[in-house]
Structures are given as C-alpha cells and as structure tokens.
Amino acid sequence: MIPARMLIFCSLALCGLMLAGCSNKPTALNHVAGKVYYKGVPLPEGLIVFTPDTTRGESGKIAFSKIQQDGSYLINTGDTPGATAGWYRVTIAALSGSLTSYDSAPISLVPDKYRDPQLSQLQCEVKASRDNHLYFNVD
C-alpha cells in the first residue's frame, strides 16, 4: 500500500511542477510612442530600436519601430504594440536613397554612432502601466 501512495504522491508532485512551469504570465507591454528629431527637425524616415540595457540588469526582447514621415514612431515588440518596462539603449538608423539602386550608395541621414547601442549614448526608461511618450533629438 505504501508504494501505491508514493506513486500517487510523486505523480501529483510532478503534475504540480509541470503546471507551475507552464503558468508563466506573459510579460506586460506598455505603450511607447514619440518623435525623433535630427538637429531640431523631425527625422522623415528610418528605424528606432530599443535594446534592453544589460548594464542595468535588463533582459528581454528588443522593441522597434519604423519612423514615420513626421518623425513619429510607435514601438512594437515583435508584432505586438508596446515594450516591457525597464531601461533601454536606443539606436536610430536612417538612410536616404534606394537600397536597390546600383547608381549610388545610400547615405546615412544621422551620424553613424546612432546605429550602435554602445556609442549612441541614447537611453530611456519605459515605465510600467502607463503611456510612455519619449522624444529623441540627435545632432
């Protein structure tokens, strides 16, 4: 009888552990929008990327957005709008010209340092449970 009780107990314990492992709550994403300016003028195109700042203990997924013609952006994590709360290093890339043209190479609209999270010196904090409006003025 004791082995049967032990088998039932072990089975229940294993099921409990499996359920605990499967019950990870999805990380809440917070609304993040703003504008990117270059020398005080809205940047008319490009990409803005939020990389979790590992020097501040952050980890997780990268969030990004296409920069619209008026300089505005709306951050997404994957296909879902928003970013997890925490500190990020920010990079901005914007190229003029066609990437498919063989006549001329694209020209960066902002200094190259803004494409590197270690060199850009741009950072931000996304705060939980609120709309985050973040503006960046690069020169």
Side-chain angles (χ1 to χ4, degrees), residues 39-57:
K39 295 185 178 182
V41 177
L43 190 63
E45 60 186 288
L47 184 69
I48 185 167
V49 179
F50 286 26
T51 304
D53 190 344
T54 57
T55 64
R56 293 180 184 238

Side-chain angles (χ1 to χ4, degrees), residues 110-130:
V110 296
D112 291 342
K113 72 178 185 175
Y114 292 111
R115 292 194 312 250
D116 185 331
Q118 303 301 319
L119 299 176
S120 77
Q121 298 182 342
L122 299 174
Q123 57 185 334
C124 68
E125 181 183 18
V126 173
K127 296 187 179 178
S129 303
R130 63 177 274 191

Side-chain angles (χ1 to χ4, degrees), residues 44-104:
E45 60 186 288
L47 184 69
I48 185 167
V49 179
F50 286 26
T51 304
D53 190 344
T54 57
T55 64
R56 293 180 184 238
E58 301 293 348
S59 63
K61 295 183 178 180
I62 292 173
F64 59 91
S65 176
K66 181 179 176 185
I67 299 170
Q68 302 302 312
Q69 200 167 18
D70 65 352
S72 66
Y73 67 89
L74 177 62
I75 290 292
N76 291 292
T77 299
D79 292 332
T80 307
T84 57
W87 282 94
Y88 291 87
R89 290 182 180 240
V90 179
T91 53
I92 298 168
L95 301 173
S96 70
S98 171
L99 294 176
T100 59
S101 172
Y102 296 107
D103 297 336
S104 62

